[in-house]
Each structure stands twice: as C-alpha cells, then as structure tokens.
Amino acid sequence: MYRTHNCGELSAANIGEKVTLAGWVQHNRDLGQMVFIDLRDRYGITQLSFNEKSAAGLLEQSKTLGREYVIQATGQVIERASKNPKNPTGEIEIFVEELRVLNVSDTPPFTIEDESDGGDDLRMKYRYLDIRRNPIKENLLLRARINIAIRNYLAGEGFIDIETPYLIKSTPEGARDFVVPSRMNQGQFYALPQSPQTFKQLLMVAGMDKYYQIVKCFRDEDLRADRQPEFTQVDCEMSFVEQEDVIRTFEGLFLHLLKEIRGIEMDSIPRMQYDDAMRYYGSDKPDIRFDMRIHELNEVTKGHGFGVFDNAHLVAGIAVDGCSGYSRKQTDELTDWVKRPQIGAAGLVWIKCNEDGTYKSSVDKFYSSEDLKKIAEACEAKAGSLILILCGEDAKVRKALGALRLEMATRLGLRNPDVFAPLWVVDFPLFEWDEETQRYYAMHHPFTSPKAEDMHLLDTDPGAVHANAYDIVLNGNEIGGGSIRIHDPKTQMMMFDHLGFTPEAAHEQFGFLMDAFRYGAPPHGGLAFGLDRLVAILGGNEIIRDFIAFPKNNSGRDVMIDAPSALADEQLDELSIKIVQE
Amino acid sequence: MYRTHNCGELSAANIGEKVTLAGWVQHNRDLGQMVFIDLRDRYGITQLSFNEKSAAGLLEQSKTLGREYVIQATGQVIERASKNPKNPTGEIEIFVEELRVLNVSDTPPFTIEDESDGGDDLRMKYRYLDIRRNPIKENLLLRARINIAIRNYLAGEGFIDIETPYLIKSTPEGARDFVVPSRMNQGQFYALPQSPQTFKQLLMVAGMDKYYQIVKCFRDEDLRADRQPEFTQVDCEMSFVEQEDVIRTFEGLFLHLLKEIRGIEMDSIPRMQYDDAMRYYGSDKPDIRFDMRIHELNEVTKGHGFGVFDNAHLVAGIAVDGCSGYSRKQTDELTDWVKRPQIGAAGLVWIKCNEDGTYKSSVDKFYSSEDLKKIAEACEAKAGSLILILCGEDAKVRKALGALRLEMATRLGLRNPDVFAPLWVVDFPLFEWDEETQRYYAMHHPFTSPKAEDMHLLDTDPGAVHANAYDIVLNGNEIGGGSIRIHDPKTQMMMFDHLGFTPEAAHEQFGFLMDAFRYGAPPHGGLAFGLDRLVAILGGNEIIRDFIAFPKNNSGRDVMIDAPSALADEQLDELSIKIVQE
C-alpha cells in the first residue's frame, strides 16, 4: 500500500501521527522559504508543507512538483497556522519528511478545477482528466450510490437480479437496432437489446415472479443532444399484479431514493390521467413544480369579431404571474419565440392584467375591458399576470402552450433543480396514429394490455382505446414507464394484427413469446426507469452526459478512444461481410 | 394483487385464515371424492383441497385443471390430515372456496420436475419452462444472492460501481472481437468489450481510486462446451496498491462469499508460485482438494536399461492411493486414456504397491523390487498405492500427468463439489511463447507489469521474466485473475515493442491509454472474477450453462429466440454492408 490514509480523512484528532499519503498535486504554492502543496485524491485534499526546517533538499524538490504530478509523501500531521474551515482537513497539514514522485505529468490540456477552462470537445477527448474534476467525480459517486440503493431496495422487496442476454434477435418494430454479424452463423446477425422486454416477460412465464436488472440498452437513433446510443435501464417485472400494485411498488422505490439521496421525505406521488396531462399541460410529462395550467378560451373569446379566434379549433392560454410589466419588446420577443419552427405557432395574443385592475392586450380592438376580465377569470389570472394565448388545431396549440409554459417558468426561476415534483401519468392511449405511414403504432410497445373496459372499441375506434400503461415523471422528464402486459396468445395476436403484422411476421419475430404464452403465462406487468436521466435529475443537473463516465458525442463517437473505427480486412473476411462504397 | 400470500409462506400459524394464492398447477391428484392440487410458485408449493363439501361445481372444476395451468384460489387455511414434513407448508392445506383459471396451458414438452425427462436441446428451446424447475430456479436465485453479496461487500470497502461503455474500439490483440457496424459513421465499426480493461485503467488515471463493475463481456471464439460468447465479469481495479494489497482485498471478498453463501469459514487462502503449480500439479489452476503431486523420477529410474526412461527429458509420476488392486483391464484402460489425442502420452508405466509390501509393475523386466521401492519412495507412495508414470518432454509430461491426476481423483470421488479449496497462484510469467506464430504473447494482457527484479532479463530472456500477475483458483478452476499494471508510458511502450507492435500500431490502438499515462497515472492494479464459473462452483455444479438464465448453445445460437438470424435488406443497406456469398 502506498499510503496509510487518504487525502480526505485526517483531522485535528490525528495531530502528531506519522502518516503517508499519495495523490495528485492540485496546487503548488511556492512562497520562497515555504512551499504548500494541495494533495488531492478521490476523498479530498490535504495540505503538505515544506520549509527551511525540512530535510536536506526536500524544500527544493517540492518546488519542482508540477500540477497533476503523482506523489507519495510521508510526514507528521501538524496543526495548520491558517486553518481552512471550508475543507474537512483544513485544520491540519502534513509536514513532509519523505517525498517520492510516483509519476510525472505533462501540463493538462485544461484546468482540473470545479470550473474548468476546457471546452466540451477537449473535456471529452481527455475524459480521464475531466473525471478528476469534483463536479464530474461527484456525479459518478452519486450514480453509484443511487445504483446500490436501488438494488438493495428491490432485493429487500424480493426482486431477483437476473441477467438477460445482450446478443439477441433483431426486430424491425420500434427503433433501429444495433446489429452484430455472427462469424459462426455466416450471413446472420445478432441484435443488441433496445430493452430486455421480451426476456423479462419470459422470466415471468418462467415463474421468477419478481425480476429486476440494471442493464445497458442500445438504440441506433439519430442522436439528439441528450440521447446516447447506449443507455442504462432499471428494468423490472412482476407477476400476479395489477397496475395499482406496480405503481405502489415503484412509488416506494422512488420515494426511498428521494429520501436516501436527497433527504426529502414525501408520502406519495400524485397521479394524473394522460388526457388531463395533455389538456392542462400540453405534455405527457408535465412539470408540476409550478401550476400555470392551460385554459380553454373558445367560450369567452368567440363572437367578438376576432376571426382568428372565432375560426380556431382551439383558443387556449396560460396566465403567467408577475409578468404584466413585460415591455413591448419582451412580448414581441415572446411572439418570435412561439413562431420558431420548433414551436410553430402563427402568432401570440397577450393580455396584461395590470396591478391596478386594468387590462391591456394585443387584441384591444376586439375585446373590451369587461371581455378581457372574463378571459382573465377563465385563465385564473391574478393582478400582475400576463396571459398568453395561442389558437389553432387542438393538439398543436396544447403542445405549443406546453412548451411556452416551460419557457416562462424557466425565465421566472420556477424550475428549481433542488425541488422535486414526481408525478404518475396513467391511462395512456394504446395506439398512436402516425400521419406519415398512415397507420397505428403501439404507444408503449406491442405487449401492452388494453383496458378491459375499452376492448369493445378496438375494432371501431382504436385511437380511443386506453392501455394499462403508466409513466413516472419527474420535473417534466419521463424517468420511467411501464404497463400491465398481455398474457394470453389470443389478445397478443389481435394486438399484432392491429399493428399491421401478418400472422407470419408475428410468428417470425415473436413466435417464442407466443409459444411461451401457450404454457401458462401469469398475469404480469412492470416498469423500467431510465437510470441516466433519473441520476441526472436527482443530481440537480439535466445534462445526462455529465453523469456517464465515458459518454459518446452527438455523432455516436467516443472521441477519447476514437471509436467507431475501421476494421482490418481479415476481420471483415472472417465475418463474410463487405463494406459497400457509396 | 392476485394473492394475499405466496405458495411458500403459510404454516400452522395461519390455520383459520382466509387467503388467496396464485400459481401453477404442479400436480392434480384426483381421488374421485377428493381432489388435491399442488400449487407452485417461486416461493414453494401449497396444497389445495377440494371435496364434496366444496361449493357447487368446484370439485368438478378442480378436476379439469391440467399441469401448468395458472390459477387463483381463495379459501381457508386448514390443518392437513396427512402432513408432509419435507415441505415447509406441509402442515396445512387450503380448502378452496373460490377458483379462477388465470391461464390455461398446453401439455409442457417435458416434465417440470427436479429430474426432467427433457433433453438439453428441448430444455434450451423452452428455457422459460426449464427455469420453472427447482434446480435451475435455485441456481438463478443463488446467482442473484452472490451478485448482491459481492456488491455490498465491495461498496463497503469503498469501491465505486462505474459503468463503462459497451460500444468500444476493436483491437486485434487477444481473442476475436464481436463488432457492430456504425450507421452514422459508415464503413466503421464498434467492438463489444472483451473486458473493460483499458477503461478501468483510465478510471484509475481519472482518480476514481477503487472501481468495480459486474459487467457483460464478449468473445467471438470457437466455443467449447463450457464457454459462452457473452459472459459476466466482476471487474475491479484499485490505485496506490501493490500485489499484496489486491490479493488481500479480494481474498476478503471471496472468503466473505464462502461464508455468506455456503456457511464455510476460512481464515486465508494458500498461495502457490506458478512455477510450483506447473511442477507439482501440471496445471496453472491446481485442484488442491487432494494432494497426489507429480514427482520427478529421472534420478531413480535411469541406468536400468529401460531406454524409454533413460532417453526421456522428464520421467515423472503420481501415486494414487488405494488403487493397487487395479486389474490388468483397468490399467490397460488407463493406458488408452492417456494415449487419447487430448492427453497425447505415448504410453503409461504403472507400479502397484501391494498391501503386503511387494511391488508389481509393467516394467518388471528393468526394475528389481528394490528399484521399484525407491521409485515408490520418491513418489511418496504408500502400501495400496498405484503409481502412474509418464515420460517425454517436460511441459507435455507435466500437463498430461496433471490431467491424469484429475481423472484419478474424479474416479476416486476426491473432487467433492461441497468441499472448497481456493488457492492463489502467483508470479505468472510475463510472456508466453507461441510455437505457431513464433512470437511471444502477453500471458495475461499487454498491460501487466513485469517484476522489478526480472526487468534486466526483458531483452535477453523474455520467457524468464515473471509478472506481478496472480490468479485465484477454486477446485481446479480459474475463477479470477489480475495483475499490477504498468503505469508509465515508457514501460508500456517497451512492452508493446516486445509484443511486436510497431510504435504506429501501438499508437493506433492504444494511443488514448499512452496519452493518459502522460498526465499522472497512479500505480494501480486489479482483478476480475468470472462470475458465471464462480457461481457455478459455489452452486456445487460446474455446468456454467445451468447458472445463466438464457444461455447460448455451442454454435453461439439462442435456440429459444432463434438468434442470430437474417436481417432485412433495408437494414444492411442502411449500414452500407453486404453479405459476401461463398
């Protein structure tokens, strides 16, 4: 062992002890007659001191130690002349008697400080240096704490950690698979799992009753800023349960984490129907840290000669408290904001509910003060509120208002990352209509069971069928989702049929699951958390990449190891594949 | 919830309670006026009873319940007339008042019993039914217990669980990689990790100090019976440590597991040098549940006119206690056994040390009774021992005797799976010479550090250089291995040079690691356990496949889901790859 203690554990209680520490040189303060070195490791920083009383040559040697040198120092713990109450080891320092350089370091390409001067690209290329920085290190430590807290909670609830395979079978339904050519079965490919969905269902058929796994999943999608091609899921499944049982189990897990990790106690998590989430928040993952609901205004706006509103399918608005003082420039800027293609509104109508009880709006021409008051009442606006109104096709308006609602909350500081507002969104639709391909897709996945009471609509009005499907939402982010699954082959076949699978295609892709359902499948359901996002939000920072040790960039590259990369010809030959040149 | 209790928890204490159970029909004993059903779930079996006093129609309905039907039954817990002390619930039964069939089942393709009539292929195809069988279910439960015991032990020792990426870079050194074509970077490929080796070293450079991960690894090798293309490693790394620290840490982990899982307390694990293991056991993973060492016999056999021995590089033998009574047929059969190509001996010389003090051998022509006695003494044979002698080239003889030693021990029942004999094998050679390619390979991997005291031999006699490398062996199986790593770029470059890498090739493949070593890499080392094998041995059964939920067969196929499989042409097009037809 190169040390007797780590750099975070010595205190006044150790004064007089002879210790050996090892770590990295964080700072070297050379005061001529004295040198102070901050020695850093994973556990903290301890000050080393050298002066004229040091052993021969030691003071001089200490001056040569550069940033990030790895050293081993032995000496006595002494009381510090100027204590640093902010550092847990700030009462003491080590007066060094022996010093050994374990490794030298080039000057790092960016500063290893809480606030680094390194840009994103540089930090990713030298990720091993980036991780030395406290914020990233703390993120990884937090992730490990959450990971084991989840495991112990679930194990305590009787869940069994079972590993499912990574080399599985490609299925065209859903997102694109990453595939792996098989050398032993030429011309054939494995796929990497997008989730262990079918395997966890097979484990329920197998009688394992309660399963969980913290597992990597893979999706070959065009990456957005916050998506990774490989991501981690806390994957769970239970037998002999109904929706209520699953929700209660994982509500327990989440509240346990909130307490363990953030010290926040909460009794229960509110629930909201999917239809209400869309109606009042324009989103299936509402951020309920603040209210600012969407209100329908067709009734109170129609018949005043304002054709834009009169002809709109939906007129709806939100009341933003404390913004009635917005200048013309500010409202214009908001108008531009909603007109951006990402939002896609045609325009924005605003009403200021002044503190003195008067109203001012961008549609004063059509609406009297009395009319505006009625609109304000419909929006539950207060004196000081700024009402923002959009109109048009129902779903579009709600979605745009949902985005505007988040934007206004961000501007007002209502999205405090240290406040946690979890929410269950329940009763999702079974299907989702896709305009482009003109067909229904499974909103969750093809194994989700329809609500018994909606089964009669399956043929006549599939879009109206609700599912036993639920999401858990945290601060406006989906952190998990699941469903009660279909467990009989007949319903499963009907579902495949509605999704446009021929019986042959269904058999080809999911025959093993249909087969399994013939041998006594129990009723079952489950849930999967997205661990990367869950950790990021609990860490108070929504940048997922900062909570992954070695993330990939937006083109799916690992710029540190420079992957993906070209293969040797022999490797391709062995796999019997060839690259098609464009 | 479909149940109030599970099928393993009711006892006499619950008599009189009304309960609801759900599970699978294990047996249906129809006695005409009475029906008894064994209801099974993960937790156990509870008897349900029906008779003429049952509610109308219930007795008749119970007779229709086939094997593996999934049912829900509500009724009262009553004392059983004929108790079954072997079953934890054997004192009670449920007199059923309500019965609901949750799912029917076809007749399973094999019996769901501890001893099944299903062959391996059938069991793999219907693995979800195989897992319903107690032995497989118990194996998976054991695996989960070991998994979380490892995690909690390592977390308690300050190890941090950090996930490393699965989509990494292909390196031609070592075994063959599985590769993943990148759609976003056409013509380029990721590789699946054979181990997180370089990443865990980078985490040490990053200052994470103690890392662990239970992680899937991948090797595209021609499969042997006990190899899987994907396997699980308990991967660990520590900074500022020497070999002794690593060994002590993981000895602690292993002994903890032995106690937790098997209730066996052991103070420490013996150590053996690699050279001694090869010399005395003909193996780098000796099974030391029994002794039966290899003894060198050149001295005592030479000069008696037996040319085969006189001209042999090595004459060596083992003494097998209690086998002096072997018949001619038995010794002939042993001779055939050692002549098989897998062992490759030219012949076998035997000496029987009869109980009456006389000797009988297959070389009586050359050796007098006195000579045989000397050989017997050299072998530490006793009255009743059978001495088995091979001769030829040193390494070959030792390897063959090592195999013969295991075979004899198996025949004698000396390899009791409930006895555990762990062993550290230390001081491995740094390099291994490959006859075929006429070059040295790294015995562990290219990042293993040479012993400081052997450094001077690196250029003159590389084969004699020992490494700071160690394996942990259990009952003749390697269950883990590791090393102290190189942590400075100069030694690493020298190592690559000895392995025949050009500086360009070394940079191309491991440039990121060499770069990292320039910024203050700490001394570090670690170890990885093979979890599949560890669990199998602790489970008292060395068939790894029985401890994996969904294993692949010897051609790397998952016969249940039928993977790998052909891809759709569009998938290949998107990836810009083409299959080369033979």
Side-chain angles (χ1 to χ4, degrees):
Chain A
M1 206 68 187
Y2 284 77
R3 62 189 172 198
T4 57
H5 295 76
N6 66 48
C7 295
E9 64 181 321
L10 295 170
S11 68
N14 304 92
I15 287 171
E17 290 179 27
K18 185 162 176 174
V19 300
T20 301
L21 300 184
W24 287 263
V25 173
Q26 175 79 22
H27 294 122
N28 186 336
R29 271 171 302 141
D30 180 355
L31 309 179
Q33 317 276 309
M34 289 188 284
V35 166
F36 295 104
I37 286 178
D38 280 348
L39 189 67
R40 187 197 69 231
D41 66 11
R42 186 184 106 195
Y43 311 92
I45 284 181
T46 299
Q47 181 164 292
L48 309 178
S49 69
F50 305 80
N51 62 32
E52 290 171 310
K53 292 184 199 142
S54 294
L58 215 48
L59 179 63
E60 290 64 38
Q61 196 194 349
S62 72
K63 293 169 187 269
T64 67
L65 302 176
R67 269 164 56 201
E68 302 305 320
Y69 274 42
V70 186
I71 62 171
Q72 181 186 40
T74 300
Q76 216 172 42
V77 183
I78 58 172
E79 193 176 356
R80 224 197 256 196
S82 66
K83 299 191 175 48
N84 176 356
K86 276 188 281 181
N87 185 347
T89 67
E91 295 203 317
I92 57 97
E93 65 189 20
I94 314 298
F95 183 66
V96 177
E97 293 156 25
E98 287 170 60
L99 179 67
R100 189 173 149 208
V101 175
L102 300 175
N103 219 338
V104 297
S105 174
D106 287 2
T107 303
F110 51 84
T111 52
I112 314 289
E113 305 280 353
D114 289 6
E115 294 289 332
S116 173
D117 60 359
D120 261 12
D121 291 349
L122 208 56
R123 285 176 45 213
M124 287 301 139
K125 182 165 164 56
Y126 298 94
R127 184 62 164 177
Y128 43 86
L129 299 179
D130 198 28
I131 296 174
R132 288 187 191 166
R133 296 170 53 237
N134 278 322
I136 306 295
K137 181 194 78 181
E138 292 299 334
N139 288 349
L140 297 182
L141 296 181
L142 175 76
R143 186 177 181 124
R145 276 207 296 145
I146 292 177
N147 191 313
I148 200 146
I150 291 173
R151 291 179 185 281
N152 282 316
Y153 185 87
L154 290 175
E157 295 286 315
F159 284 81
I160 300 300
D161 180 2
I162 302 177
E163 296 171 64
T164 53
Y166 276 76
L167 297 173
I168 66 164
K169 186 172 175 163
S170 186
T171 56
E173 184 73 8
R176 215 181 276 108
D177 286 322
F178 281 106
V179 297
V180 181
S182 166
R183 181 181 55 87
M184 302 229 282
N185 304 273
Q186 305 243 320
Q188 301 191 329
F189 293 74
Y190 302 99
L192 299 178
Q194 294 184 31
S195 92
Q197 182 63 35
T198 49
F199 288 96
K200 68 175 170 174
Q201 293 193 240
L202 290 173
L203 286 171
M204 294 305 105
V205 177
M208 292 310 289
D209 205 88
K210 288 178 173 180
Y211 141 93
Y212 88 96
Q213 192 181 188
I214 299 186
V215 61
K216 274 280 176 79
C217 300
F218 304 85
R219 256 175 231 177
D220 185 11
E221 285 176 355
D222 296 320
L223 302 173
R224 299 196 309 246
D226 61 344
R227 279 261 172 106
Q228 290 281 323
E230 49 179 304
F231 54 97
T232 305
Q233 235 173 247
V234 181
D235 194 50
C236 307
E237 196 79 5
M238 310 167 76
S239 289
F240 301 114
V241 289
E242 285 152 337
Q243 174 166 317
E244 186 61 28
D245 305 308
V246 180
I247 286 184
R248 240 184 298 130
T249 301
F250 295 101
E251 183 160 317
L253 169 60
F254 179 79
L255 295 180
H256 171 76
L257 287 183
L258 205 54
K259 182 157 173 248
E260 281 284 301
I261 302 301
R262 300 289 311 222
I264 296 171
E265 298 214 38
M266 208 178 273
D267 283 339
S268 70
I269 298 178
R271 300 186 194 181
M272 190 184 292
Q273 290 199 303
Y274 171 88
D275 292 344
D276 286 343
M278 297 309 289
R279 169 177 306 216
Y280 297 121
Y281 300 94
S283 166
D284 60 358
K285 40 180 194 278
D287 188 344
I288 58 164
R289 280 175 293 186
F290 58 100
D291 192 17
M292 214 191 285
R293 289 186 177 207
I294 297 169
H295 298 273
E296 295 169 16
L297 303 172
N298 292 61
E299 282 303 315
V300 288
T301 57
K302 75 176 174 200
H304 291 268
F306 185 39
V308 176
F309 278 2
D310 288 350
N311 300 323
H313 182 222
L314 175 68
V315 181
I318 55 174
V320 189
D321 293 345
C323 289
S324 66
Y326 261 39
S327 68
R328 181 62 189 239
K329 195 176 151 204
Q330 284 175 300
T331 53
D332 282 354
E333 192 254 324
L334 279 184
T335 305
D336 291 342
W337 193 90
V338 298
K339 282 176 155 176
R340 297 179 319 147
Q342 298 95 309
I343 308 297
L348 176 72
V349 168
W350 51 261
I351 302 171
K352 293 175 183 170
C353 309
N354 296 322
E355 298 284 356
D356 63 3
T358 63
Y359 296 92
K360 171 81 190 127
S361 88
S362 58
V363 285
D364 283 350
K365 203 166 22 158
F366 301 102
Y367 297 96
S368 69
S369 208
E370 196 54 32
D371 299 333
L372 294 176
K373 189 174 178 218
K374 276 192 191 136
I375 297 175
E377 280 166 6
C379 287
E380 297 178 29
K382 299 188 279 201
S385 291
L386 173 68
I387 297 170
L388 301 171
I389 303 174
L390 299 179
C391 67
E393 188 272 315
D394 191 302
K396 271 194 174 166
V397 167
R398 291 190 198 276
K399 199 176 155 213
L401 275 173
L404 182 59
R405 178 180 172 271
L406 292 180
E407 172 66 17
M408 295 311 294
T410 301
R411 293 182 185 206
L412 290 167
L414 300 177
R415 306 187 72 189
N416 181 348
D418 293 323
V419 171
F420 296 93
L423 173 73
W424 287 106
V425 177
V426 297
D427 300 347
F428 270 76
L430 186 63
F431 297 109
E432 189 169 34
W433 178 255
D434 183 60
E435 278 298 333
E436 201 181 315
T437 51
Q438 290 284 306
R439 57 164 269 208
Y440 281 108
Y441 284 85
M443 193 140 189
H444 272 70
H445 51 56
F447 314 109
T448 301
S449 65
K451 293 250 176 224
E453 61 269 30
D454 291 351
M455 284 291 276
H456 65 284
L457 297 170
L458 213 46
D459 287 318
T460 51
D461 189 5
V465 177
H466 290 85
N468 294 306
Y470 33 82
D471 275 359
I472 179 164
V473 169
L474 181 59
N475 295 1
N477 296 278
E478 181 208 326
I479 56 166
S483 63
I484 299 299
R485 326 299 180 184
I486 297 166
H487 68 280
D488 67 298
K490 226 192 306 181
T491 311
Q492 189 62 68
M493 269 313 298
M494 193 164 66
M495 193 63 191
F496 283 137
D497 183 43
H498 271 90
L499 292 169
F501 280 77
T502 61
E504 294 71 35
H507 178 82
E508 162 82 16
Q509 286 172 45
F510 298 109
F512 59 98
L513 191 66
M514 310 295 281
D515 278 351
F517 282 179
R518 285 170 37 216
Y519 296 102
H524 61 286
L527 182 136
F529 285 97
L531 184 66
D532 305 294
R533 178 161 285 125
L534 175 64
V535 171
I537 300 174
L538 287 177
N541 169 345
E542 296 184 11
I543 302 171
I544 281 179
R545 216 151 55 157
D546 284 349
F547 293 81
I548 296 174
F550 299 105
K552 297 194 170 49
N553 74 8
N554 290 347
S555 342
R557 290 200 74 81
D558 182 326
V559 297
M560 179 185 71
I561 63 170
D562 193 26
S565 60
L567 290 189
D569 288 341
E570 305 83 67
Q571 281 177 288
L572 294 175
D573 290 347
E574 277 200 313
L575 296 170
S576 292
I577 59 174
K578 218 174 96 175
I579 294 163
V580 180
Q581 305 291 347
E582 307 256 316
Chain B
M1 206 68 187
Y2 283 78
R3 61 190 172 198
T4 57
H5 295 78
N6 66 48
C7 296
E9 64 180 317
L10 294 171
S11 69
N14 302 93
I15 288 172
E17 288 180 28
K18 186 164 177 172
V19 300
T20 300
L21 301 183
W24 286 263
V25 173
Q26 176 78 24
H27 293 122
N28 186 335
R29 272 173 299 141
D30 179 354
L31 308 179
Q33 316 277 309
M34 291 187 284
V35 167
F36 294 104
I37 286 178
D38 279 350
L39 190 68
R40 187 197 68 232
D41 66 10
R42 188 184 105 195
Y43 310 92
I45 284 182
T46 299
Q47 181 165 294
L48 310 179
S49 67
F50 304 80
N51 62 30
E52 289 173 311
K53 291 183 199 141
S54 294
L58 215 49
L59 180 62
E60 290 64 39
Q61 196 194 349
S62 72
K63 292 168 188 270
T64 67
L65 301 176
R67 268 163 58 201
E68 302 306 320
Y69 273 41
V70 186
I71 62 171
Q72 182 187 37
T74 300
Q76 217 172 40
V77 183
I78 59 172
E79 193 175 356
R80 224 198 256 194
S82 65
K83 299 190 173 52
N84 178 356
K86 277 189 278 182
N87 184 347
T89 67
E91 294 203 317
I92 56 97
E93 65 190 19
I94 314 298
F95 183 66
V96 177
E97 293 157 26
E98 286 170 60
L99 178 67
R100 188 172 149 209
V101 175
L102 299 175
N103 219 337
V104 296
S105 174
D106 287 1
T107 303
F110 50 83
T111 52
I112 313 290
E113 306 280 352
D114 289 6
E115 294 290 331
S116 173
D117 60 359
D120 261 12
D121 291 349
L122 208 56
R123 286 176 43 213
M124 286 302 140
K125 182 162 164 57
Y126 297 93
R127 183 63 164 177
Y128 42 86
L129 298 180
D130 198 27
I131 296 173
R132 288 188 191 166
R133 295 172 51 237
N134 277 322
I136 306 296
K137 181 194 79 181
E138 292 300 334
N139 288 350
L140 298 182
L141 296 181
L142 175 77
R143 185 176 183 125
R145 277 207 295 147
I146 292 176
N147 191 313
I148 200 145
I150 292 172
R151 293 179 184 282
N152 282 316
Y153 185 89
L154 290 175
E157 295 287 315
F159 283 81
I160 299 301
D161 180 1
I162 303 177
E163 296 169 64
T164 54
Y166 277 75
L167 297 173
I168 67 165
K169 186 171 175 162
S170 188
T171 56
E173 185 72 9
R176 214 181 278 107
D177 286 323
F178 280 105
V179 298
V180 181
S182 167
R183 182 181 54 87
M184 304 230 281
N185 303 273
Q186 304 242 321
Q188 300 191 331
F189 293 73
Y190 302 100
L192 299 178
Q194 295 184 29
S195 91
Q197 183 62 35
T198 49
F199 287 96
K200 69 175 172 175
Q201 293 193 242
L202 290 172
L203 286 171
M204 294 305 104
V205 177
M208 292 311 289
D209 205 87
K210 289 178 174 179
Y211 142 92
Y212 88 97
Q213 193 183 187
I214 300 187
V215 63
K216 273 280 174 80
C217 300
F218 305 85
R219 255 174 231 178
D220 186 11
E221 286 177 352
D222 297 318
L223 301 175
R224 296 197 310 247
D226 62 343
R227 280 258 172 107
Q228 290 281 323
E230 50 178 304
F231 53 98
T232 305
Q233 236 173 248
V234 182
D235 193 51
C236 308
E237 196 80 2
M238 309 168 76
S239 289
F240 301 115
V241 289
E242 287 153 336
Q243 174 167 314
E244 187 60 29
D245 305 307
V246 180
I247 286 184
R248 239 183 300 128
T249 301
F250 295 101
E251 182 160 317
L253 169 59
F254 178 80
L255 295 179
H256 172 75
L257 286 183
L258 205 54
K259 182 155 172 251
E260 281 284 300
I261 303 300
R262 300 289 310 222
I264 296 172
E265 299 214 38
M266 208 178 272
D267 283 341
S268 68
I269 297 178
R271 300 187 194 180
M272 190 184 292
Q273 290 199 307
Y274 171 88
D275 292 344
D276 286 342
M278 297 309 289
R279 168 175 308 217
Y280 296 121
Y281 300 93
S283 166
D284 59 358
K285 40 181 193 279
D287 187 343
I288 58 164
R289 278 176 295 186
F290 57 99
D291 192 15
M292 213 191 287
R293 290 187 178 206
I294 297 170
H295 299 273
E296 294 168 16
L297 304 172
N298 293 60
E299 283 303 316
V300 287
T301 58
K302 76 177 172 196
H304 292 267
F306 186 39
V308 177
F309 278 0
D310 288 349
N311 301 322
H313 183 221
L314 175 69
V315 181
I318 55 174
V320 189
D321 293 345
C323 291
S324 65
Y326 261 38
S327 67
R328 182 62 188 244
K329 194 177 151 204
Q330 283 175 301
T331 52
D332 282 354
E333 192 254 325
L334 279 184
T335 307
D336 290 343
W337 193 90
V338 298
K339 283 175 156 177
R340 297 181 318 148
Q342 299 94 309
I343 309 297
L348 176 71
V349 167
W350 52 263
I351 302 172
K352 293 175 183 171
C353 310
N354 297 321
E355 298 284 357
D356 63 5
T358 63
Y359 297 91
K360 170 82 191 125
S361 88
S362 57
V363 286
D364 282 349
K365 197 156 36 150
F366 303 100
Y367 297 97
S368 70
S369 208
E370 198 53 35
D371 299 333
L372 295 175
K373 188 173 178 220
K374 278 193 190 137
I375 297 176
E377 279 166 6
C379 287
E380 298 177 30
K382 298 189 281 202
S385 291
L386 173 69
I387 298 172
L388 301 171
I389 303 174
L390 299 179
C391 68
E393 189 271 316
D394 192 302
K396 270 194 176 166
V397 167
R398 291 188 199 277
K399 201 176 152 216
L401 274 173
L404 183 58
R405 178 181 172 270
L406 292 180
E407 172 65 18
M408 294 311 295
T410 301
R411 293 182 185 206
L412 290 167
L414 300 176
R415 306 186 74 190
N416 180 349
D418 293 323
V419 170
F420 296 93
L423 174 74
W424 287 106
V425 177
V426 298
D427 300 347
F428 270 76
L430 186 63
F431 297 110
E432 187 169 34
W433 177 257
D434 183 60
E435 278 299 331
E436 200 181 315
T437 52
Q438 289 285 307
R439 56 163 271 209
Y440 281 109
Y441 284 84
M443 192 139 188
H444 271 69
H445 51 58
F447 313 109
T448 300
S449 66
K451 294 247 174 227
E453 59 269 32
D454 291 350
M455 284 291 277
H456 66 283
L457 298 170
L458 212 45
D459 287 317
T460 52
D461 188 6
V465 177
H466 290 86
N468 294 305
Y470 34 82
D471 275 359
I472 179 165
V473 169
L474 181 59
N475 295 0
N477 296 278
E478 180 207 327
I479 56 166
S483 63
I484 298 299
R485 328 298 183 184
I486 297 165
H487 69 278
D488 66 297
K490 227 191 308 176
T491 311
Q492 189 63 68
M493 268 314 297
M494 194 164 66
M495 191 65 189
F496 283 137
D497 184 41
H498 272 89
L499 293 170
F501 281 75
T502 61
E504 294 71 35
H507 179 81
E508 161 82 16
Q509 284 173 47
F510 299 109
F512 59 97
L513 191 66
M514 311 295 283
D515 279 351
F517 282 177
R518 286 169 40 218
Y519 295 103
H524 61 286
L527 182 136
F529 285 97
L531 184 65
D532 305 293
R533 177 160 285 125
L534 175 62
V535 171
I537 301 175
L538 287 178
N541 171 345
E542 296 185 10
I543 302 170
I544 282 179
R545 217 152 53 157
D546 284 348
F547 294 81
I548 297 173
F550 299 104
K552 294 193 172 51
N553 73 10
N554 289 347
S555 342
R557 290 200 74 80
D558 182 326
V559 295
M560 179 185 70
I561 63 170
D562 193 26
S565 61
L567 291 188
D569 287 343
E570 304 84 64
Q571 281 177 288
L572 294 174
D573 290 348
E574 277 200 315
L575 296 169
S576 292
I577 60 174
K578 218 174 91 176
I579 294 163
V580 180
Q581 304 294 347
E582 306 256 316

